[in-house]
Amino acid sequence: MQEIIDEVVNKALKGKIELHEIDNLLEANAAMVARRLVIEKLTNTKLPSIGSTILDYAEIKNRNAENVIGGIQIPVGVIGPLRVNGDYAKGDFYVPLATTEGALIASVNRGAKVISKSGGARVKIIFDGMTRAPVFKLSSIEDVIDFLNWIKDNFSKIKEIAESTTSHGKLINIEPYVLGNNVWLRFVFETGDAMGMNMVTVATEKACEFIEREFGRAVCLAVSGNMCSDKKQSQVNSLHGRGKTVVAEALIPHELIKTVLKSDSALIHEVNLRKNWLGGARAGTMFQFNAHFANIVTAIFIATGQDVAQVVESSSGYTWTEIRDNGLYISVTLTSLEVGTIGGGTRLPTQREALSIMGVYGPGNPPGSNAKKFAEIIASTVLAGELNLLAALANKELGKAHLRLGRGAKV
């Protein structure tokens, strides 16, 4: 086998075959080794760590990545126990976070401790729907009106066509948006336990073929017309939701703020208003009135095989605080949390194990319940991260924590 690999490597170095063609000449894992050797020689580097990462390319090929040469190691830590009082997630959970940022896991863990001691986070999912928005070109505004009326009158047939491509996806709405002679149809699907982006793309393409053929006066220029809106911050996602819109809240007794967080409720509240809201407004943000949603969402996404680029919209949201007689009220609202427990990177061995830690891997019973449980856990974890960071800022200990846990310095 080594002789065959060496022969393929030599041909690639001489330009006789391209990197992606190596997959056609060798079995999957041998192709991964050969490709890595080519890159080492072409770039005059050694890649022992990338090469030593345990990875079965046969599991990944034609599913998760192409031209694979190995894997990347990212530390995975856990926070918890975090008590969650949701409709789907009920009880104490340990949550895996994959990150290279020192102090992040410790920060979220302290927030989880305080929330759990306060009785846990209460969570609700107030919207659930994955979207895809093709853009259509029509000749005139008269045709646009006819088109909109036709879509409304034929929704049942469009739904039947779209759902014929999937056993789990359910078309629940089509939202039209008009600009001149351009129309975007924002298809909204329930997708069960899958994040569902590929599912709704296939279903929407099928529906568009039917619309073009039967209506006759509309041309679909792109199945994604950016009104979806995928991997982008957008007003439509913030207002209408994409994926899951989730709210998590907790009431933290003033005494726990004082004894565990070593802080003051009124000061935390003031930091939230002046930093997250006033500072966010002055900076010109529109969808990120929070301290660091992205930190927690990204770490969970990497650990569990989610589409990491969707952190862009999945970390959009708002942190709200109030001073009450019996404690500090804090809530987080994630408007567009796009997650799944089946499909995509969730099927990879380490990601599968990370999801299993929380008891959410695979399809739920009933369908969709595992993804909703996962979303409730994520929102509760974000709440823990927000609470502790606001306290750290109020205590003027943020820099000290990073020096101690991010640089190993004694402070």
Side-chain angles (χ1 to χ4, degrees):
M1 175 58 71
Q2 188 59 51
E3 290 181 359
I4 299 175
I5 291 175
D6 291 341
E7 181 182 351
V8 170
V9 169
N10 288 331
K11 287 183 178 180
L13 291 171
K14 293 176 181 178
K16 294 182 178 180
I17 57 174
E18 297 182 19
L19 290 177
H20 69 89
E21 293 176 324
I22 295 176
D23 281 343
N24 301 326
L25 304 173
L26 298 167
E27 63 88 16
N29 287 309
M32 178 172 63
V33 171
R35 193 161 30 241
R36 184 169 64 250
L37 292 173
V38 171
I39 294 299
E40 286 183 337
K41 292 180 182 297
L42 288 174
T43 61
N44 194 29
T45 55
K46 294 296 182 182
L47 306 173
S49 297
I50 287 177
S52 67
T53 301
I54 299 174
L55 202 61
D56 185 357
Y57 184 39
E59 286 262 330
I60 296 166
K61 184 180 176 181
N62 297 328
R63 292 184 179 92
N64 298 103
E66 301 77 43
N67 285 2
V68 171
I69 63 171
I72 295 293
Q73 299 173 348
I74 300 176
V76 179
V78 294
I79 66 99
L82 170 61
R83 180 155 297 176
V84 181
N85 303 312
D87 293 323
Y88 301 89
K90 303 175 187 291
D92 294 340
F93 295 89
Y94 291 90
V95 184
L97 281 74
T99 183
T100 57
E101 180 183 352
L104 175 62
I105 297 171
S107 174
V108 179
N109 195 60
R110 188 171 73 158
K113 178 180 180 181
V114 176
I115 288 173
S116 297
K117 283 180 172 289
S118 303
R122 296 176 295 276
V123 202
K124 291 288 183 182
I125 296 172
I126 59 178
F127 170 81
D128 185 10
M130 180 50 64
T131 64
R132 183 50 95 195
V135 56
F136 291 85
K137 179 180 71 173
L138 296 100
S139 295
S140 66
I141 190 62
E142 287 84 3
D143 284 345
V144 166
I145 298 303
D146 290 345
F147 183 61
L148 296 179
N149 289 332
W150 188 90
I151 293 297
K152 182 178 179 181
D153 292 342
N154 289 274
F155 176 80
S156 295
K157 185 59 179 177
I158 296 170
K159 176 179 172 69
E160 178 185 338
I161 295 293
E163 292 179 4
S164 70
T165 66
T166 171
S167 58
H168 299 289
K170 302 297 179 184
L171 180 62
I172 56 178
N173 194 18
I174 300 176
E175 304 168 353
Y177 296 87
V178 177
L179 193 161
N181 63 324
N182 303 285
V183 177
W184 290 261
L185 298 179
R186 195 169 189 260
F187 285 69
V188 184
F189 291 81
E190 291 180 349
T191 58
D193 288 295
M195 181 270 286
M197 190 66 270
N198 293 334
M199 180 194 301
V200 305
T201 297
V202 172
T204 302
E205 281 183 343
K206 193 72 172 179
C208 288
E209 291 173 4
F210 169 76
I211 292 168
E212 283 187 302
R213 182 176 65 252
E214 297 298 320
F215 180 74
R217 286 176 282 155
V219 176
C220 180
L221 295 176
V223 71
S224 174
N226 268 13
M227 280 293 295
C228 309
S229 166
D230 187 38
K231 300 178 176 70
K232 303 165 192 71
Q233 287 192 341
S234 66
Q235 197 167 22
V236 71
N237 282 356
S238 183
L239 293 175
H240 289 229
R242 187 172 195 260
K244 294 167 175 57
T245 300
V246 195
V247 181
E249 65 177 8
L251 183 64
I252 313 299
H254 297 304
E255 184 62 22
L256 283 179
I257 296 287
K258 182 179 179 180
T259 57
V260 180
L261 295 179
K262 313 297 182 184
S263 193
D264 176 78
S265 298
L267 191 55
I268 292 175
H269 174 60
E270 185 173 9
V271 169
N272 182 52
L273 293 183
R274 294 184 186 272
K275 168 191 165 58
N276 287 343
W277 288 89
L278 189 59
R282 183 67 176 123
T285 186
M286 290 186 285
F287 318 113
Q288 292 283 14
F289 290 88
N290 63 72
H292 71 150
F293 282 17
N295 256 338
I296 297 93
V297 173
T298 302
I300 296 175
F301 271 30
I302 294 173
T304 60
Q306 308 302 305
D307 188 334
V308 181
Q310 289 182 326
V311 168
V312 175
E313 63 265 41
S314 292
S315 62
S316 294
Y318 309 84
T319 299
W320 183 250
T321 54
E322 296 175 4
I323 299 297
R324 299 183 179 177
D325 290 341
N326 53 346
L328 173 73
Y329 171 85
I330 181 169
S331 71
V332 295
T333 301
L334 290 86
T335 59
S336 312
L337 183 60
E338 299 163 352
V339 296
T341 60
I342 59 174
T346 65
R347 58 183 297 280
L348 299 176
T350 54
Q351 288 82 344
R352 192 163 62 227
E353 290 176 7
L355 287 165
S356 297
I357 290 173
M358 296 173 283
V360 297
Y361 174 69
N365 186 20
S369 57
N370 265 4
K372 290 176 181 177
K373 178 180 178 181
F374 186 30
E376 290 180 344
I377 294 170
I378 293 175
S380 301
T381 309
V382 169
L383 181 68
E386 285 290 287
L387 173 62
N388 191 74
L389 179 54
L390 290 174
L393 290 167
N395 299 349
K396 296 181 174 62
E397 62 184 18
L398 180 63
K400 294 176 182 177
H402 276 282
L403 284 172
R404 183 167 61 86
L405 297 173
R407 298 185 183 180
K410 293 182 179 180
V411 293

